[in-house]
Amino acid sequence: MILHDYWRSGTSYRTRIALNLKGLDYRQAPIDLRTGAQKSGAYLALNPQGLVPALEVDGQVLTQSPAILEWLEETHPESALLPRDAAGRAVVRAMSALIGCDVHPLNNLRVLKAIKALGADQDASDQWARQWIAEGFAALEALVARHGRGWCYGDQPTLADCYLIPQIYSAKRFNTDLTPYPHLLAIDEKAQAHPAFQAAHPDQQPDAD
């Protein structure tokens, strides 16, 4: 497996976590988003959307982190990142989508650049990101309080935790007040001591600053 990623990308981060939780070996091929490497001809030949991550495996290229994570779960079922029951899987997928669809896209690099192009300064851009993070985290905090037993759902990491931890990392970059979310902070603390999450952390990547 070859993972084309960027050290500080939240979608890359969540994919690394999932790969590590499943104990899979992969080689990284860093794509520097700051220099526009994602728009090079060579990379666009792999991923026409010009985004990270992309996972090369068995002669095919998988893109979009939700699809990659679902593929990993289907093809490498151990360690499972989804509950065994249909209702539980729906809850975990909803938690994941809460971040992956409603929070993360609104504070990624492309969107923040677009906001600045419309005239927002750095403070306004950061406030925009914090607004959507706070709204999403408030809902997720309630769901984790209802369904979690140490992790987002139950007592083992799931796809929801793969999404949550990179978003907390991003929230800290935007100086988001996280004190209203004690359940999420407890999961973050637990993840900091877990080898799979430690190895996936942006600071541990070969292209990190």
Side-chain angles (χ1 to χ4, degrees), residues 104-154:
H104 173 265
L106 293 170
N107 59 78
N108 70 15
L109 183 61
R110 291 189 304 160
V111 169
L112 296 180
K113 282 184 175 180
I115 290 172
K116 289 181 179 178
L118 292 173
D121 60 15
Q122 187 64 51
D123 287 342
S125 175
D126 289 352
Q127 179 56 40
W128 163 275
R130 287 194 294 266
Q131 173 186 342
W132 302 114
I133 292 169
E135 184 175 303
F137 276 10
L140 189 60
E141 175 75 10
L143 290 171
V144 172
R146 185 182 307 166
H147 297 288
R149 296 195 307 276
W151 295 95
C152 283
Y153 186 95

Side-chain angles (χ1 to χ4, degrees), residues 21-51:
L21 285 170
K22 290 185 174 294
L24 298 173
D25 292 327
Y26 59 96
R27 176 169 65 84
Q28 288 172 261
I31 302 294
D32 192 339
L33 303 185
R34 294 168 299 185
T35 65
Q38 72 275 22
K39 299 300 183 182
S40 70
Y43 189 66
L44 288 174
L46 285 175
N47 182 1
Q49 196 176 11
L51 299 176

Side-chain angles (χ1 to χ4, degrees), residues 82-102:
L82 285 169
R84 294 183 181 276
D85 63 297
R89 292 195 296 273
V91 171
V92 169
R93 286 183 170 121
M95 290 178 170
S96 302
L98 189 159
I99 294 174
C101 299
D102 298 330

Side-chain angles (χ1 to χ4, degrees), residues 68-98:
I68 295 173
L69 268 59
E70 289 281 354
W71 179 86
L72 287 171
E73 184 70 358
E74 291 177 8
T75 58
H76 299 84
E78 299 299 332
S79 296
L81 298 179
L82 285 169
R84 294 183 181 276
D85 63 297
R89 292 195 296 273
V91 171
V92 169
R93 286 183 170 121
M95 290 178 170
S96 302
L98 189 159

Side-chain angles (χ1 to χ4, degrees), residues 49-68:
Q49 196 176 11
L51 299 176
V52 292
L55 184 67
E56 285 190 82
V57 56
D58 297 333
Q60 60 183 331
V61 180
L62 307 177
T63 62
Q64 287 288 347
S65 63
I68 295 173

